[in-house]
Amino acid sequence: MASKSKAKGNRFEHECVEKLKDIGFKDIKRAWGSNGLALGHAEDVDILADGIKIQCKVRKTTPKWLELGTCDWVMYKQDRGEIFIIKKLEDEVNGG
């Protein structure tokens, strides 16, 4: 039997697959056992959607600094690292 956190992660991965289908992705594969090696990629790849490698994470709470607040995006980076953007999936669907 899967642990509660593993079961929660599996549910979220399934939810992500359905959301990706809803917004028009066609070729979507979920890694067996949440292990990207099953898809021929690194272990951290949970979903492959039209060639885009996706890792799914669900947490009880979002760190305050990652919350959008009244903004459309949060841009962040690790010291001397790459810059990343967080935005709502619905904004992506609506061209935001």
Side-chain angles (χ1 to χ4, degrees), residues 29-48:
K29 297 177 183 88
R30 184 175 167 266
W32 185 86
S34 299
N35 186 336
L37 294 175
L39 297 173
H41 292 280
E43 291 181 13
D44 62 348
V45 177
D46 297 321
I47 296 172
L48 192 61

Side-chain angles (χ1 to χ4, degrees), residues 28-83:
I28 304 168
K29 297 177 183 88
R30 184 175 167 266
W32 185 86
S34 299
N35 186 336
L37 294 175
L39 297 173
H41 292 280
E43 291 181 13
D44 62 348
V45 177
D46 297 321
I47 296 172
L48 192 61
D50 293 346
I52 299 170
K53 296 175 278 188
I54 301 169
Q55 184 178 57
C56 302
K57 293 289 185 188
V58 61
R59 297 287 185 260
K60 185 174 183 175
T61 60
T62 301
K64 220 36 166 162
W65 63 273
L66 287 178
E67 293 179 4
L68 291 176
T70 61
C71 299
D72 299 314
W73 292 5
V74 171
M75 296 178 72
Y76 73 98
K77 74 174 205 148
Q78 183 175 333
D79 289 348
R80 294 176 290 284
E82 294 183 71
I83 297 173

Side-chain angles (χ1 to χ4, degrees), residues 19-35:
K19 288 283 188 183
L20 291 165
K21 287 179 186 175
D22 289 348
I23 63 172
F25 282 83
K26 302 294 182 212
D27 185 20
I28 304 168
K29 297 177 183 88
R30 184 175 167 266
W32 185 86
S34 299
N35 186 336

